[in-house]
Amino acid sequence: MKEITLSPELTKEIAAIYQAMQEGYEQVSEEVGLTCEGCPDNCCDSYFLHHTYSEWAYLWQGLHQLDPEELERIVSRAKEYIAQSAEALAEGRRPQIMCPLNDNGLCGLYHHRLLVCRMHGIPATLTRPDGQSMRFPGCFRCQKIVKEKYKVETDAPAMDRSRLFRQLAALESRLFEEQRHLYPRVKKTIAEMIVAGPPSVPLPHCER
Ligand code: SF4
Ligand code: SF4
């Protein structure tokens, strides 16, 4: 197996994508008037699967910076998360378990949190590669605000995810020197990314 790591250049790029995402989020949340302060919910117990080696590698850049005891605690919570989510899924339920990186309600790896963590909450739009447009209404609290404040839902500002998603997809391709299709797909929770360790892929077959 070959470990997948981000070069300094790709590290800078993914950080820039995340930063742009954060700025886009802040702009829309401010316009809508959404803050997470005092929210009875904590979105870190939402069940999400993640799909890029780039984000997985960047997450591990953050995990590598933790002291070994802290990392051990997180790995142990991640194992517990995997066991509990497998139980829920086997019973046909969507797991609702606190992320192993959440520490007393706050993200313990804030600068390395994943794309989904940075977008959840506000209204958003996305144009898929097949041209189909999608609109996401935001979290329950955001939907309530939008209902009270705007005549129709689509009057509310929304963050367009398309450009940043395309940039992340392009970065993922470059990580594999445009050979991404030759490697297995990623479909993992954060807990699974933690327990699996830094991303790695089978070595390409030797050419004769
Ligand atoms: S995104 Fe919405 S539901 Fe989640 S914590 Fe913030 S306000 Fe609450
Ligand atoms: S990585 Fe951080 S922000 Fe994302 S779900 Fe986990 S604790 Fe929450």
Side-chain angles (χ1 to χ4, degrees):
M1 298 290 277
K2 173 176 170 260
E3 186 174 329
I4 299 297
T5 52
L6 294 166
S7 65
E9 192 193 344
L10 291 182
T11 299
K12 248 195 210 165
E13 278 185 35
I14 195 167
I17 294 171
Y18 281 156
Q19 179 63 24
M21 225 163 245
Q22 186 160 330
E23 285 165 13
Y25 185 99
E26 281 165 6
Q27 193 186 332
V28 172
S29 62
E30 210 169 286
E31 281 177 43
V32 171
L34 175 76
T35 73
C36 296
E37 223 179 293
C39 179
D41 202 358
N42 186 324
C43 295
C44 298
D45 65 4
S46 307
Y47 183 77
F48 286 117
L49 293 166
H50 308 272
H51 301 280
T52 62
Y53 286 96
S54 320
E55 287 207 282
W56 184 357
Y58 193 69
L59 180 78
W60 263 97
Q61 282 193 7
L63 290 165
H64 279 315
Q65 290 166 24
L66 299 175
D67 67 62
E69 291 80 26
E70 178 60 6
L71 182 56
E72 210 175 296
R73 272 195 295 277
I74 288 172
V75 171
S76 146
R77 287 205 296 264
K79 285 182 180 162
E80 187 59 27
Y81 182 106
I82 293 172
Q84 285 182 21
S85 60
E87 238 173 71
L89 291 168
E91 289 167 9
R93 288 183 288 117
R94 189 177 175 86
Q96 196 176 5
I97 307 156
M98 190 49 75
C99 173
L101 290 173
N102 190 293
D103 200 5
N104 285 324
L106 296 174
C107 180
L109 213 62
Y110 191 74
H111 296 294
H112 291 262
R113 72 198 194 284
L114 276 68
L115 184 135
V116 171
C117 311
R118 295 167 194 259
M119 291 181 321
H120 188 70
I122 54 167
T125 56
L126 174 71
T127 307
R128 294 193 337 188
D130 63 6
Q132 198 190 326
S133 299
M134 300 168 84
R135 188 176 172 102
F136 306 92
C139 68
F140 80 98
R141 215 177 181 204
C142 180
Q143 289 179 45
K144 194 165 169 270
I145 296 172
V146 166
K147 216 171 177 182
E148 287 165 6
K149 206 165 160 182
Y150 301 93
K151 220 165 164 187
V152 284
E153 191 201 319
T154 46
D155 283 349
M159 180 176 160
D160 184 13
R161 297 175 177 176
S162 317
R163 182 177 56 89
L164 295 170
F165 273 33
R166 276 199 303 272
Q167 285 178 358
L168 186 62
L171 189 152
E172 181 82 352
S173 293
R174 281 172 49 219
L175 180 62
F176 289 93
E177 294 165 3
E178 311 301 331
Q179 302 285 303
R180 173 68 184 86
H181 58 285
L182 298 180
Y183 295 93
R185 285 170 184 241
V186 177
K187 200 176 172 190
K188 286 190 187 303
T189 58
I190 290 175
E192 286 167 335
M193 288 179 167
I194 294 169
V195 172
S200 58
V201 291
L203 283 169
H205 294 298
C206 296
E207 285 177 22
R208 289 171 187 233

